[in-house]
Amino acid sequence: MSAVMITRKVRKWEKLPGKNTFCCDGRVMMARQKGVFYLTLFLIVGTCALFFAFECPYLAVHLSPAIPVFAVLLFLFVIAMLLRTSFSDPGVLPRALPEEAMFIEMEIEAANGNVPTGQRAPPRIRNVQINNQIVKLKYCYTCKIFRPPRASHCSICDNCVDRFDHHCPWVGNCVGKRNYRYFYLFTLSLSMLTIYIFTFDIVHMVMREFLLFLIRRDTQFTVLEVLVCFFTLWSVVGLTGFHTYLISLNQTTNEDIKGSWSGKNRVQNPYSHKNIIKNCCEVLCGPTYPSVLSVVIAASAPFQNVVLRLQKTTAPLIPNEHTPDDAKPSIAASAEKSPSPREEHPPAPKVPPLASPETDVEDKTH
Amino acid sequence: TSEFHNLQELRHSASLETKVFIQRDYTEGTVCRFQTKFPSELDNRIERTLLEETVKTLNSYYVEAEKIGGQSYLEGCLACATAYIIFLCMETRYEKVLRKISGYIQEQNEKIYAPRGLLLTDPIERGMRVLEISIFEDQGSGTSSPSSSSMSSTGSAR
């Protein structure tokens, strides 16, 4: 037993169960499979690089220098939105701690009464009235919570996400409450960028001699760009249109696929303001919700005294982890004890975030 | 400060009896709002009006944070124009309100809840899902709670 001075703050995300990966001191959060995200990045950066290298010199001279300038701005905006969408916390709901889980279980048992053995227990559903509609809240067996309205469990990331839209492999992350507007702006700006590049490629091809274009070696890249843009256009523009439709109705992709609000026998969407402008404003200009994962919790008492016990926190992948606060001996006896390798690391220095992920101002809340 | 020290002493010297969780109230939609229903476990620990007042004040803070109006539009449009890079240096309105809430809860704990052997946990530390109230052993009344934190002590209350 050694005396250990613990004043390091353990961030909640370090102990988060679920299949996410974190880096940059928790500022970047993504799903585990990132292959398709790298492909997206490669396609966008690659096509734009070809555009700047082969089209822009000609267009800047013969048409206007504003063309490449605007393209650069648009490209930077697209990349910023992509990184924001990919790296942000989509609105993950942390799992219930053991006391909370038990409290809910007891409430459920009290409500159900005695279930005869052999009979299946009734499904765990809570009914809530929202805007004069009855909405059913389902219980999540993994996270041990009743999911808030519009939340859903993503099986790929193994988390419940608030206002879950869908899991997008192209951005390598879930799209939920916190990053939906970045996702929408990404698809919108990417549509614009694709149309822009496509248009100016055609203009370039027309301004030079069109027929010679296909056989000249140095113009084969233009043809490549046109092909990439052509195929991208159909998918991205279509997706943007679909999400514009969803936003105007204040629906999520998840609700649309499940048909939650469609059909005569079903409940009408209680979240819609029945006004397109209001719906758009709420989704796109609403408040920026904080990430509850970034809340820093003290690994030990904030005294200056030396803590005369070996502080042990569990490995990150064990679910329903106690916060270290609760692991104190006077509290729950069920605190698990196993060494965590992260305890040895010194606190990471404050580095300005690389891309546009989590703001580190959550620390200022304390 | 001595008051703060008392809070920590409460956490470390008093033994935790049980925890009560005040759930979210979804009747107004997905806005953050907690139920003002008084939990029966707190019947003889705190006056109803005090807890109701705390919850109502918290709810009003959340309403202020999530209000969709002129200021939130301005913030949103400005941020969008800068590709949201401005959020790296600027604190959003929600974060400002969260700091106020944190201060408010600390103050309530020191003044009202700790002297009664209770402790509020900021909802953000529980994912904004519940308002957790820890109930510590009431040292004044002399009733000893069964060993450590087993939740079975509240079983009979239902």
Side-chain angles (χ1 to χ4, degrees):
Chain A
M1 279 296 198
S2 54
V4 184
M5 166 94 85
I6 312 274
T7 49
R8 177 172 120 81
K9 294 185 184 226
V10 174
R11 288 176 190 262
K12 195 182 275 190
W13 56 262
E14 282 184 348
K15 296 139 73 39
L16 178 76
K19 299 179 193 157
N20 288 102
T21 54
F22 294 89
C23 45
C24 298
D25 195 33
R27 292 191 177 91
V28 169
M29 171 177 177
M30 294 184 74
R32 238 174 231 182
Q33 292 107 2
K34 302 187 221 4
V36 189
F37 166 70
Y38 293 134
L39 175 67
T40 309
L41 209 53
F42 171 75
L43 282 174
I44 296 175
V45 173
T47 312
C48 289
L50 292 179
F51 181 72
F52 292 130
F54 294 101
E55 323 299 315
C56 285
Y58 182 87
L59 290 169
V61 166
H62 288 85
L63 268 185
S64 160
I67 294 171
V69 168
F70 188 72
V72 167
L73 292 175
L74 196 51
F75 167 72
L76 289 175
F77 189 80
V78 168
I79 295 294
M81 290 301 105
L82 172 64
L83 295 180
R84 258 268 172 191
T85 311
S86 302
F87 294 167
S88 323
D89 171 9
V92 170
L93 296 167
R95 296 183 186 189
L97 296 174
E99 290 102 353
E100 191 187 335
M102 248 202 304
F103 184 85
I104 296 176
E105 288 270 350
M106 280 167 41
E107 274 191 345
I108 295 171
E109 274 166 34
N112 285 344
N114 274 326
V115 178
T117 48
Q119 223 179 62
R120 195 184 280 184
R124 297 180 172 189
I125 292 189
R126 252 185 209 167
N127 287 323
V128 175
Q129 195 182 51
I130 300 177
N131 250 336
N132 297 321
Q133 314 272 4
I134 301 286
V135 174
K136 292 186 191 303
L137 304 185
K138 287 194 185 151
Y139 182 78
C140 181
Y141 284 92
T142 315
C143 304
K144 302 213 184 334
I145 55 170
F146 274 99
R147 286 187 210 125
R150 312 194 92 173
S152 190
H153 191 94
C154 175
S155 46
I156 302 172
C157 302
D158 204 23
N159 288 318
C160 271
V161 177
D162 210 351
R163 202 188 187 277
F164 180 71
D165 195 83
H166 66 287
H167 181 98
C168 185
W170 297 96
V171 303
N173 203 359
C174 287
V175 177
K177 180 166 81 170
R178 294 192 73 244
N179 63 354
Y180 184 63
R181 78 189 67 181
Y182 309 133
F183 174 76
Y184 179 71
L185 288 173
F186 167 64
T187 56
L188 185 64
S189 56
L190 184 61
S191 305
M192 286 165 56
L193 184 67
T194 312
I195 292 172
Y196 192 85
I197 292 181
F198 187 73
T199 310
F200 283 106
D201 277 352
I202 302 291
V203 165
H204 186 197
M205 283 163 84
V206 166
M207 283 176 76
R208 302 242 196 139
E209 284 132 69
F210 180 70
L211 287 172
L212 291 178
F213 230 78
L214 296 168
I215 50 175
R216 281 168 58 176
R217 203 172 292 165
D218 60 339
T219 59
Q220 278 166 2
F221 288 117
T222 312
V223 176
L224 180 65
E225 286 165 47
V226 169
L227 280 174
V228 171
C229 287
F230 185 74
F231 289 113
T232 309
L233 257 178
W234 292 110
S235 45
V236 175
V237 171
L239 190 65
T240 310
F242 174 61
H243 279 282
T244 311
Y245 162 75
L246 287 181
I247 289 175
S248 65
L249 294 177
N250 202 337
Q251 268 190 32
T252 64
T253 307
N254 192 251
E255 287 162 358
D256 187 72
I257 288 176
K258 284 192 198 162
S260 305
W261 317 124
S262 61
K264 288 178 194 157
N265 300 330
R266 297 251 192 165
V267 176
Q268 297 302 302
N269 187 353
Y271 314 106
S272 169
H273 299 278
K274 312 281 187 236
N275 177 328
I276 292 181
I277 309 276
K278 272 193 183 172
N279 284 337
C280 292
C281 286
E282 189 196 301
V283 177
L284 298 175
C285 300
T288 41
Y289 299 94
S291 167
V292 296
L293 294 183
S294 306
V295 172
V296 174
I297 45 179
S300 73
F303 293 117
Q304 295 312 306
N305 304 328
V306 174
V307 177
L308 287 173
R309 57 190 154 86
L310 195 58
Q311 177 77 29
K312 285 174 179 170
T313 55
T314 68
L317 292 178
I318 296 176
N320 293 326
E321 178 48 35
H322 284 285
T323 65
D325 248 0
D326 296 339
K328 297 188 176 87
S330 64
I331 304 182
S334 54
E336 288 139 322
K337 296 186 195 299
S338 62
S340 164
R342 293 186 205 269
E343 283 294 302
E344 278 98 274
H345 297 179
K350 278 237 185 256
V351 173
L354 299 173
S356 45
E358 294 312 290
T359 60
D360 57 351
V361 290
E362 277 88 358
D363 297 350
K364 291 180 193 163
T365 60
H366 292 265
Chain B
T1 64
S2 59
E3 286 160 326
F4 188 70
H5 215 73
N6 281 338
L7 260 180
Q8 299 310 314
E9 276 173 7
L10 183 69
R11 267 192 208 168
H12 296 291
S13 55
S15 65
L16 181 68
E17 200 178 292
T18 185
K19 291 188 183 185
V20 185
F21 299 90
I22 295 188
Q23 305 285 329
R24 283 270 294 268
D25 174 11
Y26 292 116
T27 53
E28 312 244 327
T30 49
V31 292
C32 186
R33 205 186 136 80
F34 289 98
Q35 292 180 359
T36 45
K37 192 179 72 165
F38 192 81
S40 51
E41 293 87 342
L42 297 175
D43 256 332
N44 49 356
R45 300 299 290 260
I46 189 166
E47 296 86 332
R48 270 174 199 255
T49 48
L50 285 175
L51 182 64
E52 259 181 43
E53 187 59 40
T54 307
V55 177
K56 280 193 182 146
T57 313
L58 280 177
N59 285 339
S60 72
Y61 273 122
Y62 289 121
V63 164
E64 184 196 326
E66 299 193 16
K67 201 167 61 159
I68 302 174
Q71 208 199 346
S72 81
Y73 292 153
L74 199 62
E75 200 180 58
C77 290
L78 181 70
C80 181
T82 63
Y84 296 95
I85 294 176
I86 202 169
F87 281 155
L88 299 176
C89 23
M90 187 181 93
E91 195 183 47
T92 67
R93 193 163 59 121
Y94 210 111
E95 283 155 355
K96 286 193 185 108
V97 176
L98 283 179
R99 270 197 296 127
K100 280 203 267 183
I101 289 172
S102 169
Y104 174 73
I105 288 182
Q106 174 88 350
E107 179 214 324
Q108 289 282 291
N109 272 335
E110 284 167 15
K111 289 195 188 144
I112 300 177
Y113 292 87
R116 289 169 172 78
L118 302 173
L119 199 66
L120 293 180
T121 304
D122 195 333
I124 195 148
E125 295 183 21
R126 298 291 177 262
M128 305 281 261
R129 274 198 319 271
V130 287
L131 176 62
E132 182 184 296
I133 305 179
S134 308
I135 304 176
F136 290 92
E137 191 181 85
D138 193 0
Q139 282 145 349
S141 67
T143 55
S144 58
S145 62
S147 59
S148 45
S149 60
S150 172
M151 292 287 285
S152 58
S153 61
T154 61
S156 55
R158 294 181 208 271

